[in-house]
PDB file of all heavy atoms in Angstrom:
ATOM      1  N   ARG Y   1     -13.406 -13.761   7.034  1.00 93.00           N
ATOM      2  CA  ARG Y   1     -12.408 -13.112   7.858  1.00 93.00           C
ATOM      3  C   ARG Y   1     -10.992 -13.421   7.344  1.00 93.00           C
ATOM      4  O   ARG Y   1     -10.119 -12.574   7.348  1.00 93.00           O
ATOM      5  CB  ARG Y   1     -12.553 -13.515   9.318  1.00 93.00           C
ATOM      6  CG  ARG Y   1     -13.678 -12.813  10.044  1.00 93.00           C
ATOM      7  CD  ARG Y   1     -13.578 -13.028  11.541  1.00 93.00           C
ATOM      8  NE  ARG Y   1     -13.919 -14.394  11.881  1.00 93.00           N
ATOM      9  CZ  ARG Y   1     -15.144 -14.806  12.154  1.00 93.00           C
ATOM     10  NH1 ARG Y   1     -16.155 -13.957  12.117  1.00 93.00           N
ATOM     11  NH2 ARG Y   1     -15.360 -16.091  12.499  1.00 93.00           N
ATOM     12  N   GLU Y   2     -10.805 -14.653   6.875  1.00 95.00           N
ATOM     13  CA  GLU Y   2      -9.475 -15.041   6.362  1.00 95.00           C
ATOM     14  C   GLU Y   2      -9.160 -14.262   5.079  1.00 95.00           C
ATOM     15  O   GLU Y   2      -8.067 -13.746   4.939  1.00 95.00           O
ATOM     16  CB  GLU Y   2      -9.467 -16.544   6.087  1.00 95.00           C
ATOM     17  CG  GLU Y   2      -8.121 -17.044   5.604  1.00 95.00           C
ATOM     18  CD  GLU Y   2      -8.126 -18.546   5.340  1.00 95.00           C
ATOM     19  OE1 GLU Y   2      -9.044 -19.238   5.813  1.00 95.00           O
ATOM     20  OE2 GLU Y   2      -7.202 -19.041   4.642  1.00 95.00           O
ATOM     21  N   ILE Y   3     -10.124 -14.167   4.190  1.00 95.00           N
ATOM     22  CA  ILE Y   3      -9.920 -13.405   2.964  1.00 95.00           C
ATOM     23  C   ILE Y   3      -9.695 -11.921   3.307  1.00 95.00           C
ATOM     24  O   ILE Y   3      -8.808 -11.249   2.711  1.00 95.00           O
ATOM     25  CB  ILE Y   3     -11.156 -13.565   1.993  1.00 95.00           C
ATOM     26  CG1 ILE Y   3     -11.251 -15.014   1.519  1.00 95.00           C
ATOM     27  CG2 ILE Y   3     -11.004 -12.627   0.812  1.00 95.00           C
ATOM     28  CD1 ILE Y   3     -12.507 -15.283   0.770  1.00 95.00           C
ATOM     29  N   GLY Y   4     -10.479 -11.386   4.233  1.00 95.00           N
ATOM     30  CA  GLY Y   4     -10.304 -10.008   4.611  1.00 95.00           C
ATOM     31  C   GLY Y   4      -8.939  -9.702   5.215  1.00 95.00           C
ATOM     32  O   GLY Y   4      -8.367  -8.640   4.981  1.00 95.00           O
ATOM     33  N   GLY Y   5      -8.421 -10.621   6.013  1.00 94.00           N
ATOM     34  CA  GLY Y   5      -7.095 -10.444   6.586  1.00 94.00           C
ATOM     35  C   GLY Y   5      -6.010 -10.361   5.515  1.00 94.00           C
ATOM     36  O   GLY Y   5      -5.093  -9.538   5.603  1.00 94.00           O
ATOM     37  N   LYS Y   6      -6.111 -11.212   4.518  1.00 95.00           N
ATOM     38  CA  LYS Y   6      -5.116 -11.166   3.429  1.00 95.00           C
ATOM     39  C   LYS Y   6      -5.294  -9.883   2.616  1.00 95.00           C
ATOM     40  O   LYS Y   6      -4.294  -9.353   2.080  1.00 95.00           O
ATOM     41  CB  LYS Y   6      -5.267 -12.410   2.562  1.00 95.00           C
ATOM     42  CG  LYS Y   6      -4.845 -13.666   3.284  1.00 95.00           C
ATOM     43  CD  LYS Y   6      -5.042 -14.894   2.410  1.00 95.00           C
ATOM     44  CE  LYS Y   6      -4.605 -16.157   3.188  1.00 95.00           C
ATOM     45  NZ  LYS Y   6      -4.784 -17.420   2.406  1.00 95.00           N
ATOM     46  N   ALA Y   7      -6.539  -9.439   2.461  1.00 95.00           N
ATOM     47  CA  ALA Y   7      -6.773  -8.193   1.720  1.00 95.00           C
ATOM     48  C   ALA Y   7      -6.098  -7.009   2.431  1.00 95.00           C
ATOM     49  O   ALA Y   7      -5.468  -6.162   1.810  1.00 95.00           O
ATOM     50  CB  ALA Y   7      -8.251  -7.941   1.593  1.00 95.00           C
ATOM     51  N   ARG Y   8      -6.208  -6.966   3.781  1.00 94.00           N
ATOM     52  CA  ARG Y   8      -5.605  -5.889   4.540  1.00 94.00           C
ATOM     53  C   ARG Y   8      -4.073  -5.913   4.442  1.00 94.00           C
ATOM     54  O   ARG Y   8      -3.425  -4.874   4.292  1.00 94.00           O
ATOM     55  CB  ARG Y   8      -6.041  -5.981   6.004  1.00 94.00           C
ATOM     56  CG  ARG Y   8      -5.459  -4.870   6.883  1.00 94.00           C
ATOM     57  CD  ARG Y   8      -6.026  -4.952   8.283  1.00 94.00           C
ATOM     58  NE  ARG Y   8      -5.255  -4.135   9.205  1.00 94.00           N
ATOM     59  CZ  ARG Y   8      -5.396  -2.833   9.360  1.00 94.00           C
ATOM     60  NH1 ARG Y   8      -6.273  -2.185   8.631  1.00 94.00           N
ATOM     61  NH2 ARG Y   8      -4.735  -2.172  10.229  1.00 94.00           N
ATOM     62  N   ARG Y   9      -3.486  -7.107   4.469  1.00 94.00           N
ATOM     63  CA  ARG Y   9      -2.047  -7.208   4.352  1.00 94.00           C
ATOM     64  C   ARG Y   9      -1.575  -6.716   2.964  1.00 94.00           C
ATOM     65  O   ARG Y   9      -0.542  -6.095   2.858  1.00 94.00           O
ATOM     66  CB  ARG Y   9      -1.561  -8.647   4.589  1.00 94.00           C
ATOM     67  CG  ARG Y   9      -1.626  -9.054   6.070  1.00 94.00           C
ATOM     68  CD  ARG Y   9      -0.875 -10.316   6.329  1.00 94.00           C
ATOM     69  NE  ARG Y   9      -1.561 -11.489   5.781  1.00 94.00           N
ATOM     70  CZ  ARG Y   9      -2.554 -12.132   6.405  1.00 94.00           C
ATOM     71  NH1 ARG Y   9      -2.960 -11.723   7.573  1.00 94.00           N
ATOM     72  NH2 ARG Y   9      -3.106 -13.175   5.841  1.00 94.00           N
ATOM     73  N   LEU Y  10      -2.369  -6.987   1.957  1.00 94.00           N
ATOM     74  CA  LEU Y  10      -2.046  -6.479   0.624  1.00 94.00           C
ATOM     75  C   LEU Y  10      -2.057  -4.961   0.606  1.00 94.00           C
ATOM     76  O   LEU Y  10      -1.149  -4.330   0.034  1.00 94.00           O
ATOM     77  CB  LEU Y  10      -3.071  -7.034  -0.371  1.00 94.00           C
ATOM     78  CG  LEU Y  10      -2.979  -6.497  -1.812  1.00 94.00           C
ATOM     79  CD1 LEU Y  10      -1.689  -6.981  -2.459  1.00 94.00           C
ATOM     80  CD2 LEU Y  10      -4.215  -6.933  -2.629  1.00 94.00           C
ATOM     81  N   ALA Y  11      -3.044  -4.351   1.224  1.00 93.00           N
ATOM     82  CA  ALA Y  11      -3.138  -2.878   1.286  1.00 93.00           C
ATOM     83  C   ALA Y  11      -1.941  -2.330   2.022  1.00 93.00           C
ATOM     84  O   ALA Y  11      -1.321  -1.325   1.576  1.00 93.00           O
ATOM     85  CB  ALA Y  11      -4.420  -2.436   1.915  1.00 93.00           C
ATOM     86  N   GLU Y  12      -1.567  -2.912   3.122  1.00 92.00           N
ATOM     87  CA  GLU Y  12      -0.407  -2.438   3.913  1.00 92.00           C
ATOM     88  C   GLU Y  12       0.896  -2.491   3.104  1.00 92.00           C
ATOM     89  O   GLU Y  12       1.728  -1.608   3.189  1.00 92.00           O
ATOM     90  CB  GLU Y  12      -0.270  -3.306   5.164  1.00 92.00           C
ATOM     91  CG  GLU Y  12      -1.345  -3.092   6.211  1.00 92.00           C
ATOM     92  CD  GLU Y  12      -1.295  -4.087   7.343  1.00 92.00           C
ATOM     93  OE1 GLU Y  12      -0.665  -5.174   7.147  1.00 92.00           O
ATOM     94  OE2 GLU Y  12      -1.859  -3.815   8.394  1.00 92.00           O
ATOM     95  N   GLU Y  13       1.049  -3.576   2.322  1.00 91.00           N
ATOM     96  CA  GLU Y  13       2.314  -3.755   1.574  1.00 91.00           C
ATOM     97  C   GLU Y  13       2.350  -2.921   0.291  1.00 91.00           C
ATOM     98  O   GLU Y  13       3.454  -2.455  -0.059  1.00 91.00           O
ATOM     99  CB  GLU Y  13       2.436  -5.247   1.226  1.00 91.00           C
ATOM    100  CG  GLU Y  13       2.669  -6.138   2.439  1.00 91.00           C
ATOM    101  CD  GLU Y  13       2.521  -7.617   2.094  1.00 91.00           C
ATOM    102  OE1 GLU Y  13       2.300  -7.959   0.903  1.00 91.00           O
ATOM    103  OE2 GLU Y  13       2.621  -8.449   3.012  1.00 91.00           O
ATOM    104  N   GLN Y  14       1.227  -2.720  -0.392  1.00 90.00           N
ATOM    105  CA  GLN Y  14       1.305  -2.151  -1.738  1.00 90.00           C
ATOM    106  C   GLN Y  14       0.573  -0.830  -1.897  1.00 90.00           C
ATOM    107  O   GLN Y  14       0.880  -0.072  -2.836  1.00 90.00           O
ATOM    108  CB  GLN Y  14       0.774  -3.168  -2.764  1.00 90.00           C
ATOM    109  CG  GLN Y  14       1.584  -4.417  -2.902  1.00 90.00           C
ATOM    110  CD  GLN Y  14       1.143  -5.275  -4.039  1.00 90.00           C
ATOM    111  OE1 GLN Y  14       0.674  -4.778  -5.061  1.00 90.00           O
ATOM    112  NE2 GLN Y  14       1.279  -6.579  -3.928  1.00 90.00           N
ATOM    113  N   PHE Y  15      -0.415  -0.519  -1.034  1.00 91.00           N
ATOM    114  CA  PHE Y  15      -1.311   0.571  -1.334  1.00 91.00           C
ATOM    115  C   PHE Y  15      -1.493   1.579  -0.230  1.00 91.00           C
ATOM    116  O   PHE Y  15      -2.519   2.177  -0.081  1.00 91.00           O
ATOM    117  CB  PHE Y  15      -2.698   0.042  -1.744  1.00 91.00           C
ATOM    118  CG  PHE Y  15      -2.659  -0.881  -2.953  1.00 91.00           C
ATOM    119  CD1 PHE Y  15      -2.937  -2.242  -2.800  1.00 91.00           C
ATOM    120  CD2 PHE Y  15      -2.233  -0.425  -4.151  1.00 91.00           C
ATOM    121  CE1 PHE Y  15      -2.866  -3.103  -3.879  1.00 91.00           C
ATOM    122  CE2 PHE Y  15      -2.135  -1.260  -5.259  1.00 91.00           C
ATOM    123  CZ  PHE Y  15      -2.468  -2.631  -5.111  1.00 91.00           C
ATOM    124  N   SER Y  16      -0.433   1.783   0.556  1.00 89.00           N
ATOM    125  CA  SER Y  16      -0.487   2.885   1.584  1.00 89.00           C
ATOM    126  C   SER Y  16      -0.244   4.205   0.919  1.00 89.00           C
ATOM    127  O   SER Y  16       0.490   4.327  -0.081  1.00 89.00           O
ATOM    128  CB  SER Y  16       0.533   2.628   2.675  1.00 89.00           C
ATOM    129  OG  SER Y  16       1.849   2.902   2.197  1.00 89.00           O
ATOM    130  N   PHE Y  17      -0.844   5.285   1.449  1.00 84.00           N
ATOM    131  CA  PHE Y  17      -0.668   6.575   0.806  1.00 84.00           C
ATOM    132  C   PHE Y  17       0.789   7.069   1.000  1.00 84.00           C
ATOM    133  O   PHE Y  17       1.273   7.858   0.230  1.00 84.00           O
ATOM    134  CB  PHE Y  17      -1.665   7.597   1.295  1.00 84.00           C
ATOM    135  CG  PHE Y  17      -1.436   8.149   2.653  1.00 84.00           C
ATOM    136  CD1 PHE Y  17      -0.724   9.336   2.791  1.00 84.00           C
ATOM    137  CD2 PHE Y  17      -1.890   7.532   3.799  1.00 84.00           C
ATOM    138  CE1 PHE Y  17      -0.479   9.867   4.049  1.00 84.00           C
ATOM    139  CE2 PHE Y  17      -1.665   8.076   5.023  1.00 84.00           C
ATOM    140  CZ  PHE Y  17      -0.953   9.248   5.203  1.00 84.00           C
ATOM    141  N   ARG Y  18       1.463   6.585   2.030  1.00 87.00           N
ATOM    142  CA  ARG Y  18       2.847   6.984   2.215  1.00 87.00           C
ATOM    143  C   ARG Y  18       3.720   6.419   1.077  1.00 87.00           C
ATOM    144  O   ARG Y  18       4.649   7.135   0.609  1.00 87.00           O
ATOM    145  CB  ARG Y  18       3.375   6.468   3.570  1.00 87.00           C
ATOM    146  CG  ARG Y  18       2.734   7.193   4.748  1.00 87.00           C
ATOM    147  CD  ARG Y  18       3.301   6.779   6.082  1.00 87.00           C
ATOM    148  NE  ARG Y  18       2.777   7.539   7.175  1.00 87.00           N
ATOM    149  CZ  ARG Y  18       1.641   7.233   7.827  1.00 87.00           C
ATOM    150  NH1 ARG Y  18       0.960   6.138   7.462  1.00 87.00           N
ATOM    151  NH2 ARG Y  18       1.178   7.965   8.780  1.00 87.00           N
ATOM    152  N   ARG Y  19       3.444   5.199   0.671  1.00 91.00           N
ATOM    153  CA  ARG Y  19       4.222   4.681  -0.440  1.00 91.00           C
ATOM    154  C   ARG Y  19       3.904   5.433  -1.727  1.00 91.00           C
ATOM    155  O   ARG Y  19       4.805   5.694  -2.530  1.00 91.00           O
ATOM    156  CB  ARG Y  19       3.855   3.186  -0.631  1.00 91.00           C
ATOM    157  CG  ARG Y  19       4.552   2.547  -1.822  1.00 91.00           C
ATOM    158  CD  ARG Y  19       4.409   1.054  -1.856  1.00 91.00           C
ATOM    159  NE  ARG Y  19       5.116   0.486  -3.001  1.00 91.00           N
ATOM    160  CZ  ARG Y  19       5.307  -0.800  -3.168  1.00 91.00           C
ATOM    161  NH1 ARG Y  19       4.884  -1.670  -2.323  1.00 91.00           N
ATOM    162  NH2 ARG Y  19       5.938  -1.252  -4.254  1.00 91.00           N
ATOM    163  N   MET Y  20       2.656   5.819  -1.925  1.00 91.00           N
ATOM    164  CA  MET Y  20       2.269   6.627  -3.064  1.00 91.00           C
ATOM    165  C   MET Y  20       3.038   7.952  -3.097  1.00 91.00           C
ATOM    166  O   MET Y  20       3.578   8.352  -4.122  1.00 91.00           O
ATOM    167  CB  MET Y  20       0.750   6.881  -3.090  1.00 91.00           C
ATOM    168  CG  MET Y  20       0.312   7.799  -4.242  1.00 91.00           C
ATOM    169  SD  MET Y  20      -1.487   8.014  -4.318  1.00 91.00           S
ATOM    170  CE  MET Y  20      -1.813   8.915  -2.782  1.00 91.00           C
ATOM    171  N   GLY Y  21       3.158   8.564  -1.925  1.00 93.00           N
ATOM    172  CA  GLY Y  21       3.899   9.830  -1.829  1.00 93.00           C
ATOM    173  C   GLY Y  21       5.388   9.669  -2.185  1.00 93.00           C
ATOM    174  O   GLY Y  21       5.956  10.495  -2.958  1.00 93.00           O
ATOM    175  N   ALA Y  22       5.973   8.601  -1.737  1.00 94.00           N
ATOM    176  CA  ALA Y  22       7.390   8.356  -2.038  1.00 94.00           C
ATOM    177  C   ALA Y  22       7.592   8.067  -3.533  1.00 94.00           C
ATOM    178  O   ALA Y  22       8.604   8.554  -4.133  1.00 94.00           O
ATOM    179  CB  ALA Y  22       7.905   7.182  -1.216  1.00 94.00           C
ATOM    180  N   ASP Y  23       6.684   7.341  -4.103  1.00 95.00           N
ATOM    181  CA  ASP Y  23       6.837   7.034  -5.535  1.00 95.00           C
ATOM    182  C   ASP Y  23       6.678   8.297  -6.399  1.00 95.00           C
ATOM    183  O   ASP Y  23       7.403   8.481  -7.375  1.00 95.00           O
ATOM    184  CB  ASP Y  23       5.728   5.986  -5.963  1.00 95.00           C
ATOM    185  CG  ASP Y  23       6.004   4.631  -5.411  1.00 95.00           C
ATOM    186  OD1 ASP Y  23       7.163   4.351  -4.972  1.00 95.00           O
ATOM    187  OD2 ASP Y  23       5.095   3.764  -5.444  1.00 95.00           O
ATOM    188  N   TYR Y  24       5.745   9.161  -6.042  1.00 96.00           N
ATOM    189  CA  TYR Y  24       5.570  10.398  -6.803  1.00 96.00           C
ATOM    190  C   TYR Y  24       6.765  11.301  -6.610  1.00 96.00           C
ATOM    191  O   TYR Y  24       7.170  12.054  -7.521  1.00 96.00           O
ATOM    192  CB  TYR Y  24       4.298  11.125  -6.351  1.00 96.00           C
ATOM    193  CG  TYR Y  24       3.116  10.772  -7.227  1.00 96.00           C
ATOM    194  CD1 TYR Y  24       1.995  10.155  -6.694  1.00 96.00           C
ATOM    195  CD2 TYR Y  24       3.073  11.060  -8.593  1.00 96.00           C
ATOM    196  CE1 TYR Y  24       0.893   9.795  -7.472  1.00 96.00           C
ATOM    197  CE2 TYR Y  24       2.002  10.753  -9.392  1.00 96.00           C
ATOM    198  CZ  TYR Y  24       0.891  10.121  -8.834  1.00 96.00           C
ATOM    199  OH  TYR Y  24      -0.138   9.768  -9.634  1.00 96.00           O
ATOM    200  N   GLU Y  25       7.347  11.333  -5.393  1.00 96.00           N
ATOM    201  CA  GLU Y  25       8.510  12.166  -5.179  1.00 96.00           C
ATOM    202  C   GLU Y  25       9.635  11.860  -6.159  1.00 96.00           C
ATOM    203  O   GLU Y  25      10.284  12.717  -6.689  1.00 96.00           O
ATOM    204  CB  GLU Y  25       8.973  11.994  -3.751  1.00 96.00           C
ATOM    205  CG  GLU Y  25      10.111  12.922  -3.319  1.00 96.00           C
ATOM    206  CD  GLU Y  25      10.514  12.689  -1.905  1.00 96.00           C
ATOM    207  OE1 GLU Y  25      11.331  11.756  -1.658  1.00 96.00           O
ATOM    208  OE2 GLU Y  25       9.960  13.349  -1.019  1.00 96.00           O
ATOM    209  N   LYS Y  26       9.797  10.566  -6.412  1.00 96.00           N
ATOM    210  CA  LYS Y  26      10.855  10.130  -7.386  1.00 96.00           C
ATOM    211  C   LYS Y  26      10.525  10.635  -8.768  1.00 96.00           C
ATOM    212  O   LYS Y  26      11.410  11.067  -9.538  1.00 96.00           O
ATOM    213  CB  LYS Y  26      10.953   8.614  -7.398  1.00 96.00           C
ATOM    214  CG  LYS Y  26      11.473   8.031  -6.079  1.00 96.00           C
ATOM    215  CD  LYS Y  26      11.392   6.511  -6.177  1.00 96.00           C
ATOM    216  CE  LYS Y  26      11.801   5.890  -4.808  1.00 96.00           C
ATOM    217  NZ  LYS Y  26      11.664   4.403  -4.831  1.00 96.00           N
ATOM    218  N   LEU Y  27       9.217  10.633  -9.152  1.00 97.00           N
ATOM    219  CA  LEU Y  27       8.853  11.089 -10.462  1.00 97.00           C
ATOM    220  C   LEU Y  27       8.933  12.602 -10.609  1.00 97.00           C
ATOM    221  O   LEU Y  27       9.304  13.114 -11.648  1.00 97.00           O
ATOM    222  CB  LEU Y  27       7.415  10.656 -10.787  1.00 97.00           C
ATOM    223  CG  LEU Y  27       7.210   9.121 -10.928  1.00 97.00           C
ATOM    224  CD1 LEU Y  27       5.721   8.818 -11.159  1.00 97.00           C
ATOM    225  CD2 LEU Y  27       8.051   8.572 -12.048  1.00 97.00           C
ATOM    226  N   TYR Y  28       8.721  13.345  -9.537  1.00 97.00           N
ATOM    227  CA  TYR Y  28       8.884  14.775  -9.540  1.00 97.00           C
ATOM    228  C   TYR Y  28      10.346  15.127  -9.819  1.00 97.00           C
ATOM    229  O   TYR Y  28      10.668  16.034 -10.595  1.00 97.00           O
ATOM    230  CB  TYR Y  28       8.441  15.416  -8.240  1.00 97.00           C
ATOM    231  CG  TYR Y  28       6.985  15.263  -7.907  1.00 97.00           C
ATOM    232  CD1 TYR Y  28       6.512  15.199  -6.599  1.00 97.00           C
ATOM    233  CD2 TYR Y  28       6.009  15.211  -8.933  1.00 97.00           C
ATOM    234  CE1 TYR Y  28       5.180  15.087  -6.318  1.00 97.00           C
ATOM    235  CE2 TYR Y  28       4.666  15.088  -8.647  1.00 97.00           C
ATOM    236  CZ  TYR Y  28       4.240  15.009  -7.341  1.00 97.00           C
ATOM    237  OH  TYR Y  28       2.917  14.877  -7.033  1.00 97.00           O
TER     238      TYR Y  28
END
């Protein structure tokens, strides 16, 4: 559970699809 909690925080900080959209918008 402890490892899973840190995994989820990593996804929230670095791998949300909203962040992906913003990064691609800059490249467009």
